[in-house]
Amino acid sequence: MAVNDPIADMLTRIRNANTSLKDSVDMPVSKMKAEIAKLLKAEGYIVDYSIVRGDSFDNIVLDLKYSEDRQRVISGLRRISKPGRRVYASKDRIPKVLGGLGTAVLSTSRGLMTGRDAEKKGIGGEVVCFIW
């Protein structure tokens, strides 16, 4: 039986659109997805994102980023903490992605933030995903 995991769905949509070199990808919006999109934009993995109001539900549209010669900026995405197995990191054990080249996204008591920000603020939390 499959568990409904909207964050895994979001990461899969981004991964698939990125692999097929699409310019943008859209999906149903949630507060968590909007915060992840905000982090992706701040870290330079996507160009921009926007929330499109619909009749029955709203969508979030991510504009994917590529280099001049159409090389992918996002090499990989991986969901770490899943509904069946939550993964937490204390302030002393925040994971490094590719030796600091990637980004760990953490859900903390102060909201969603990158591993670097959580380390600076001295707080831990649930490890949502890795992006590199």
Side-chain angles (χ1 to χ4, degrees), residues 46-115:
I46 62 173
V47 176
D48 202 3
Y49 70 97
S50 59
I51 296 174
V52 179
R53 305 287 176 203
D55 294 333
S56 57
F57 60 92
D58 300 339
N59 277 338
I60 185 166
V61 179
L62 305 178
D63 297 324
L64 300 177
K65 189 174 188 179
Y66 301 99
S67 66
E68 295 290 325
D69 56 345
R70 205 71 175 151
Q71 294 294 315
R72 297 173 186 91
V73 171
I74 298 175
S75 302
L77 295 151
R78 193 164 78 202
R79 178 83 157 117
I80 302 301
S81 190
K82 300 173 181 158
R85 180 175 182 262
R86 299 292 181 188
V87 177
Y88 297 94
S90 66
K91 65 177 184 171
D92 303 324
R93 297 189 150 267
I94 295 175
K96 297 252 188 282
V97 182
L98 292 179
L101 296 176
T103 305
V105 176
L106 273 73
S107 176
T108 68
S109 58
R110 297 187 193 156
L112 227 58
M113 62 180 65
T114 64

Side-chain angles (χ1 to χ4, degrees), residues 5-11 14 27 29-46 48-49 60 62 74 77-79 81 103-107 111-114 126-131:
D5 186 8
I7 302 306
D9 177 54
M10 175 187 192
L11 297 178
I14 293 171
M27 64 202 77
V29 73
S30 70
K31 288 181 184 179
M32 183 83 141
K33 289 178 186 178
E35 286 298 312
I36 290 174
K38 189 166 110 179
L39 279 178
L40 288 174
K41 181 179 178 188
E43 291 293 312
Y45 289 110
I46 62 173
D48 202 3
Y49 70 97
I60 185 166
L62 305 178
I74 298 175
L77 295 151
R78 193 164 78 202
R79 178 83 157 117
S81 190
T103 305
V105 176
L106 273 73
S107 176
L112 227 58
M113 62 180 65
T114 64
E126 181 182 353
V127 183
V128 177
C129 63
F130 289 162
I131 304 156

